[in-house]
């Protein structure tokens, strides 16, 4: 896909991966709609992008607010005069830690934001993409969507859901010209996911993940893309040697603090 003059929507754009992704697309000539809950952060980011010669529009929206989500496609068309070419479903929150320490309200919140939020935002933009026969939905999942991370049961469940949702949907929509991709980064220290005792080879910057997301859109990659790329091969270890994989998970659980989930 040619990203020059493309219209890109990024949820969770007020910080971390979302912020870096919005900047990365704007640098490549795309018009970016910034979506998140914090108006001040969005407006500041839009101003930075504009000052650097890019194009950005800030719009406050909570992805768990269905009434607000349903307005997004119309808003994009109203302010840009163009349909959405790329949707980056990035909004997400930490899972809160060990399952037995979570309240029912917290469990519900994590599922609503990390999984249902992705589905609902995709649901409002996909019809327009399918009608035009072109577009790309990129859902930011996690390597936790491919590996059962100890100490993060709810977070891991939501990210597994995002990966499965993306793969299943892509099978259907790609025949109609629309791609759906789960991007699975390793651990990214951000505002919502502070730095912890993690192996350096699996620790990434938001900018590295943003570059991967841009690559997925530009090169039309689906239905899955892991960051770093070599981490995808670890799935063979999980599938072919389950006992050894579970033993390794136990070692990791004892060695690293898993109270804060990887992104």
């Amino acid at each position: 896909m040619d990203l020059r003059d493309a219209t890109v929507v990024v949820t969770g754009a007020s910080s971390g991966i979302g912020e870096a992704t919005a900047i990365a697309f704007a640098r490549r000539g795309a018009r970016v709609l910034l979506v998140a809950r914090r108006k001040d952060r969005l407006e500041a980011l839009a101003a930075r992008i504009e000052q650097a010669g890019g194009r950005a529009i800030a719009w406050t929206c909570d992805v768990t607010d269905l009434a607000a989500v349903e307005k997004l496609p119309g808003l994009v068309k109203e302010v840009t005069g163009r349909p959405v070419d790329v949707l980056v479903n990035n909004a997400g929150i930490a899972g809160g830690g060990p399952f037995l320490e979570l309240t029912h309200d917290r469990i519900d919140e994590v599922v609503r934001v990390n999984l249902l939020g992705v589905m609902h935002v995709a649901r409002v933009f996909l019809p327009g993409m399918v009608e035009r026969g072109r577009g790309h939905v990129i859902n930011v999942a996690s390597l936790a969507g491919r590996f059962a991370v100890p100490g993060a049961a709810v977070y891991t469940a939501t990210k597994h859901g995002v990966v499965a949702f993306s793969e299943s949907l892509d099978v259907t929509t790609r025949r109609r010209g629309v791609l759906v991709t789960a991007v699975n980064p390793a651990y990214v220290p951000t505002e919502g996911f502070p730095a912890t005792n993690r192996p350096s080879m699996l620790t990434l910057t938001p900018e590295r993940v943003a570059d991967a997301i841009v690559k997925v859109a530009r090169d039309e990659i689906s239905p899955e893309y892991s960051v770093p790329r070599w981490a995808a091969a670890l799935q063979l270890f999980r599938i072919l040697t389950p006992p050894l994989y579970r033993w390794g998970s136990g070692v990791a659980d004892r060695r690293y603090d898993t109270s804060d989930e990887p992104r």
Side-chain angles (χ1 to χ4, degrees):
M1 177 185 294
D2 186 356
L3 298 179
R4 290 173 298 177
D5 294 323
T7 301
V8 180
V9 173
V10 181
T11 69
S14 61
S15 64
I17 294 172
E19 178 181 359
T21 298
I23 292 171
F25 273 108
R27 284 176 176 167
R28 290 161 175 83
R31 180 187 294 104
V32 186
L33 183 71
L34 314 171
V35 178
R37 292 175 295 180
R38 294 178 292 184
K39 182 178 180 180
D40 56 336
R41 296 287 294 269
L42 291 179
E43 291 180 343
L45 176 57
R48 284 169 51 202
I49 290 174
E50 295 278 351
Q51 290 168 5
R55 293 169 292 175
I57 301 167
W59 185 258
T60 306
C61 177
D62 185 333
V63 298
T64 66
D65 183 343
L66 293 184
V69 167
E70 288 175 343
K71 294 177 182 178
L72 288 175
L75 167 72
V76 176
K77 188 171 182 179
E78 178 183 342
V79 299
T80 68
R82 297 186 47 154
V84 174
D85 297 297
V86 180
L87 165 64
V88 180
N89 252 328
N90 169 72
I93 59 176
F99 183 72
L100 294 181
E101 297 178 7
L102 301 181
T103 64
H104 292 290
D105 286 343
R106 182 59 173 169
I107 293 170
D108 183 66
E109 180 184 21
V110 174
V111 173
R112 283 189 296 111
V113 175
N114 290 3
L115 181 55
L116 293 181
V118 168
M119 293 180 174
H120 289 309
V121 176
R123 179 62 182 83
V124 300
F125 281 107
L126 268 173
M129 292 182 176
V130 169
E131 183 179 350
R132 294 190 308 276
R134 67 185 303 271
H136 201 150
V137 175
I138 301 174
N139 299 321
V140 179
S142 170
L143 285 182
R146 278 303 185 188
F147 305 97
V149 178
V154 176
Y155 180 86
T156 297
T158 62
K159 294 305 182 178
H160 271 68
V162 171
V163 172
F165 169 69
S166 303
E167 183 174 353
S168 175
L169 196 57
D170 182 69
V171 172
T172 302
T173 60
R174 66 166 36 251
R175 299 196 309 268
R176 306 176 73 174
V178 180
L179 301 179
V180 181
T181 308
V183 172
N184 304 324
Y187 185 72
V188 183
T190 63
E191 180 182 1
F193 297 80
T196 56
N197 182 23
R198 298 287 178 180
S200 58
M201 64 181 179
L202 287 174
T203 300
L204 309 171
T205 64
E207 290 74 20
R208 183 173 177 186
V209 180
D211 287 342
I213 292 171
V214 168
K215 176 180 175 61
V216 165
R218 184 191 63 218
D219 296 348
E220 301 183 337
I221 299 169
S222 74
E224 184 178 354
Y225 192 85
S226 295
V227 191
R229 293 296 297 137
W230 60 262
L234 294 177
Q235 294 183 50
L236 291 175
F237 172 60
R238 177 177 62 86
I239 295 170
L240 298 178
T241 58
L244 190 58
Y245 162 71
R246 295 188 183 105
W247 173 83
S249 295
V251 171
D253 186 36
R254 291 187 294 272
R255 182 173 180 182
Y256 300 108
D257 176 12
T258 55
S259 61
D260 290 313
E261 297 81 353
R263 183 57 186 269

